[in-house]
């Protein structure tokens, strides 16, 4: 799964429209490519139970319920100082 695909799914869930753009800048020490390999845990009998789209949707719902109000509150309080 590409990072762009995950970002597009999250943007869709949050109703964000627009083009996702990367600046192609690489910082010193950053790897050129990231690639997760779950073969070892699959070999231990683990298997994903939730499709990516469902997991991201659940995460977005949780974030909106649990985290976003806290972030908004801190942002508003920070503006009062």
């Amino acid at each position: 799964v590409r990072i762009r695909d995950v970002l597009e799914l999250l943007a869709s869930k949050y109703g964000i429209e627009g083009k996702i753009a990367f600046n192609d800048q690489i910082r010193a020490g950053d790897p050129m490519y990231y690639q997760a390999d779950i073969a070892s845990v699959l070999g231990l009998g683990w298997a994903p139970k939730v499709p990516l789209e469902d997991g991201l949707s659940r995460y977005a719902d949780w974030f909106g319920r649990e985290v976003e109000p806290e972030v908004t509150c801190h942002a508003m309080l920070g503006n009062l100082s």
Side-chain angles (χ1 to χ4, degrees), residues 1 38 46-59:
V1 176
I38 64 169
W46 178 86
K49 296 179 182 174
V50 178
L52 178 63
E53 293 83 3
D54 293 347
L56 288 174
S57 182
R58 289 181 188 179
Y59 171 78

Side-chain angles (χ1 to χ4, degrees), residues 2-23:
R2 298 177 315 159
I3 291 174
R4 177 180 301 280
D5 298 332
V6 172
L7 292 174
E8 287 173 351
L9 287 167
L10 286 172
S12 172
K13 176 64 181 171
Y14 283 108
I16 299 170
E17 296 180 9
K19 182 180 177 186
I20 295 172
F22 295 94
N23 64 12

Side-chain angles (χ1 to χ4, degrees), residues 24-56:
D24 295 327
Q25 292 180 355
I26 300 172
R27 296 175 297 190
D30 280 352
M32 292 293 293
Y33 302 98
Y34 292 94
Q35 184 171 351
D37 182 3
I38 64 169
S40 59
V41 294
L42 290 174
L44 296 173
W46 178 86
K49 296 179 182 174
V50 178
L52 178 63
E53 293 83 3
D54 293 347
L56 288 174

